[in-house]
Amino acid sequence: MSSPARVITVTVSDTRTAADDASGKALVEELAAFVLVRHVIVPDDPAKITSVVSDAVAAGEADAIVFTGGTGIAPRDLTFEAVSALFDKQLDGFGEAFRRLSWDEIGPRAMLSRAAAGTVGTCVVFLLPGSEKAARLGARSLIAPVLGHAVDLVHGRTKHHGHGSKVS
């Protein structure tokens, strides 16, 4: 069994500080079973958002990066554009699952979320909305249950089960 995944959590906001970053605190709490490399707050600036991912991947310092904020459709919501452009592989099921769970809590407004996930090299990257409830929901219900397995898969340390082929 591999060691716990190393995680960087990131709040994207022009206004939040360490004192009032409820969604960042929610990520840290919900992902406590993993190794927190660091938590950072970055402004809604695509170059700064992208550099968090690029720098962490280049340094090999994290197995996963979890963002909160910038996934909506407001003019300043640029996390999706900045990070999804880096994805080697997109994990469509993550956004679909997040919106499905979110629908139960907030109804049709869930479809306005651009929650997403993908891989950048051997790092799994997740994008969650900036509200505390959304960060907690995504981290607890979706990320925490699969993170170890996702990291093992992206590193080639495990195989898919039940996907054997039959030879005729």
Side-chain angles (χ1 to χ4, degrees):
M1 179 159 199
S2 55
S3 58
R6 300 165 299 145
V7 179
I8 295 173
T9 56
V10 184
T11 297
V12 178
S13 174
D14 286 332
T15 59
R16 293 189 192 167
T17 66
D20 65 3
D21 180 15
S23 58
K25 287 182 176 103
L27 289 182
V28 171
E29 289 171 9
E30 296 298 338
L31 300 172
F34 304 97
V35 176
L36 178 66
V37 174
R38 70 176 174 277
H39 176 75
V40 295
I41 299 173
V42 298
D44 292 291
D45 175 324
K48 291 181 179 172
I49 294 166
T50 300
S51 73
V52 169
V53 178
S54 300
D55 294 349
V57 170
E61 68 177 323
D63 300 304
I65 304 171
V66 183
F67 284 85
T68 178
T71 63
I73 59 172
R76 293 292 294 159
D77 290 334
L78 301 171
T79 303
F80 178 85
E81 285 77 13
V83 179
S84 66
L86 302 175
F87 288 164
D88 295 316
K89 295 182 179 180
Q90 187 160 323
L91 304 174
D92 294 325
F94 177 80
E96 294 163 2
F98 177 81
R99 285 180 285 280
R100 166 61 186 90
L101 291 177
S102 187
W103 184 280
D104 292 342
E105 295 193 8
I106 66 169
R109 290 181 299 147
M111 74 179 108
L112 301 177
S113 167
R114 297 184 302 152
T119 62
V120 179
T122 57
C123 188
V124 187
V125 183
F126 300 92
L127 311 178
L128 291 167
S131 76
E132 179 183 1
K133 281 181 87 171
R136 200 170 292 285
L137 174 69
R140 178 191 309 133
S141 299
L142 299 173
I143 298 170
V146 303
L147 186 56
H149 184 62
V151 168
D152 282 345
L153 281 170
V154 80
H155 282 276
R157 295 191 295 246
T158 187
K159 296 186 184 333
H160 295 284
H161 299 286
H163 292 252
S165 60
K166 293 183 179 179
V167 178
S168 312

